[in-house]
Amino acid sequence: MRRAAYDETADELRKGLADIDPALRVHDCYWGDVFGVPAGTGTATLPGAPAEPNPPEPADPFGSEPSDADAEALAWELLYEDPLAPLRRTTTETDAPYDEPPDPALEPTARALAATPPAALAALLDEAGVLQDFPEAVTAVLDSPAGRDALEHGMPPGQLPNAIATAVVAHLLVAVDHRGGVLRWSPARRDEAVRLIARDLGDGDARGVLDGAWKVLAPLGGMRYLMWKRAALMDRTHPRAGDILKYLARGAALRDHIRQRVTEVAAEHGPVVLLAHSLGGTAAVDVLAERELPAVRHLVTIGSQAAHLHELGALPALDPDAPLPGHFPRWTNVYDRRDLLAFLAEPVFPQRVQDVDLTSGQPFKASHSAYFRNPEVLGLLARIARDGSA
């Protein structure tokens, strides 16, 4: 968080706790402007990024056509997410068959091809290490709901063999990716596999991926938009992702700042509950793990990644697999299962922390900042502050 968002959140927290117990006091420990990544940092290295941060939106982000190379790369990006996209009907299409019904010989031809691919195709599949996967890929495509629908209702004239071929190759690529393998096809060899399969299914033209007017290209407008907005997206996300990277590399100064601020408040008011959100929770765990800090009687992390980083061996103050030191105070870790930046802590630090699932009902990413408006969270904080019970 930066100053404006931090102040607004702190005010909400103060008001919420005051409604429960007016005696509770919330003290600040703001660090974003000094120890975080400045706005506008991190986009200079983006290929093709505009010189200024937060570039203006294109007047018509969906109107300008990408180059063939960009369009093909974007199409395959979508195919990695949904290999069956070429076979899916759009919402504007009806269940009525097309004027040209599908060739009834297409399905048996495809199943025969799966069992015994011709020599040229078999050599290409073997080159990529997916020859053994080919029968399963063809079967999965043909037997999928999208495949059955396409085989029953057809597609615009001449497109069905190419769509099946593309879906099969996409299925093969995803299988390699999921098992952590290395794809040995260049884009040209990948496209050659599509052409060979389409040809063997009866497409005499074997036109390739982009020449078919199937639905996989429909979402390209949104994908082009994301590419054009990359610099703006990076600029907005860097205050979060960049802060994490900077902290992991150079976090000692932030830990000293937290330690000093806690000590100052405790000197005047006695031991405190240290409340830390998101990356602040990681820094707070590090502070308390590095050395004893008697000024903290209870740690509350909210939407924190601390335990996950330790699970990865990336928590700066603790060696990989090391337990929390004996001097570490009581710890309550609040998470919302809808918050994709929040992690459990008990599985990593058994018997040293209590995980509490308190959902705000908000989707991500709103859920990551909604904790302090949640009455259940406020009630938990009040109980901890008053008597230490979670």
Side-chain angles (χ1 to χ4, degrees):
M1 290 186 178
R2 293 303 182 259
R3 188 85 241 186
Y6 177 91
D7 288 343
E8 181 180 348
T9 302
D11 286 344
E12 288 183 350
L13 178 61
R14 288 188 177 93
K15 292 174 183 175
L17 289 177
D19 289 340
I20 299 173
D21 185 346
L24 296 177
R25 305 185 67 175
V26 177
H27 301 270
D28 289 315
C29 183
Y30 178 69
W31 56 267
D33 291 332
V34 176
F35 301 103
V37 173
T41 302
T43 58
T45 50
L46 294 179
E52 78 279 8
N54 289 314
E57 249 178 52
D60 183 11
F62 300 98
S64 177
E65 289 300 319
S67 68
D68 285 347
D70 284 343
E72 185 162 343
L74 289 168
W76 281 101
E77 182 177 345
L78 178 61
L79 286 163
Y80 267 94
E81 297 298 323
D82 182 9
L84 298 173
L87 297 166
R88 298 190 189 282
R89 289 172 170 245
T90 67
T91 55
T92 60
E93 293 171 341
T94 67
D95 290 334
Y98 288 98
D99 292 338
E100 180 180 299
D103 181 357
L106 181 59
E107 181 175 357
T109 299
R111 296 193 185 276
L113 182 68
T116 310
L121 177 59
L124 190 56
L125 295 169
D126 188 53
E127 174 188 313
V130 295
L131 180 59
Q132 72 282 1
D133 301 311
F134 184 62
E136 190 277 333
V138 174
T139 301
V141 169
L142 296 179
D143 292 346
S144 68
R148 300 316 307 165
D149 182 71
L151 288 169
E152 179 182 349
H153 296 100
M155 295 185 73
Q159 291 185 14
L160 185 52
N162 190 68
I164 292 175
T166 303
V168 168
V169 171
H171 193 285
L172 291 170
L173 301 182
V174 170
V176 172
D177 184 61
H178 282 180
R179 63 173 175 252
V182 177
L183 182 66
R184 287 170 276 178
W185 273 341
S186 66
R189 301 295 276 169
R190 174 202 65 203
D191 294 346
E192 177 66 10
V194 173
R195 284 190 288 270
L196 287 178
I197 296 171
R199 184 198 65 188
D200 292 333
L201 291 178
D203 184 353
D205 295 333
R207 295 160 296 174
V209 176
L210 288 182
D211 291 330
W214 32 264
K215 277 77 67 176
V216 71
L217 293 180
L220 284 181
M223 299 172 78
R224 290 200 305 273
Y225 181 67
L226 289 180
M227 288 186 70
W228 286 336
K229 292 286 286 182
R230 184 180 177 192
L233 290 168
M234 291 284 283
D235 190 65
R236 286 197 297 271
T237 58
H238 262 57
R240 180 172 292 158
D243 285 355
I244 296 172
L245 295 175
K246 184 177 179 180
Y247 172 76
L248 294 177
R250 297 180 178 85
L254 173 55
R255 294 194 292 274
D256 289 342
H257 172 74
I258 295 172
R259 191 176 290 110
Q260 178 181 348
R261 179 60 180 148
V262 166
T263 302
E264 291 172 352
V265 174
E268 183 176 355
H269 301 282
V272 303
V273 173
L274 181 56
L275 171 63
H277 173 250
S278 195
L279 176 58
T282 298
V285 170
D286 273 332
V287 165
L288 298 171
E290 275 186 321
R291 59 180 183 266
E292 187 173 7
L293 187 58
V296 176
R297 62 179 177 84
H298 201 127
L299 169 66
V300 179
T301 53
I302 291 182
S304 172
Q305 306 86 44
H308 181 60
L309 289 173
H310 187 53
E311 182 182 18
L312 301 176
L315 193 65
L318 275 181
D319 290 335
D321 299 322
L324 290 174
H327 63 254
F328 202 92
R330 292 186 65 181
W331 177 11
T332 301
N333 178 59
V334 178
Y335 71 97
D336 182 337
R337 62 182 61 248
R338 294 187 179 91
D339 177 6
L340 303 185
L341 297 175
F343 294 85
L344 300 173
E346 285 186 50
V348 178
F349 301 112
Q351 301 180 334
R352 299 301 305 275
V353 56
Q354 179 183 2
D355 288 327
V356 181
D357 180 5
L358 295 178
T359 179
S360 64
Q362 295 281 4
F364 184 77
K365 64 182 179 177
S367 59
H368 189 60
S369 299
Y371 293 96
F372 302 105
R373 293 184 293 276
N374 186 340
E376 291 184 285
V377 173
L378 295 173
L380 173 70
L381 294 176
R383 292 194 299 275
I384 291 174
R386 285 187 301 220
D387 56 27
S389 64

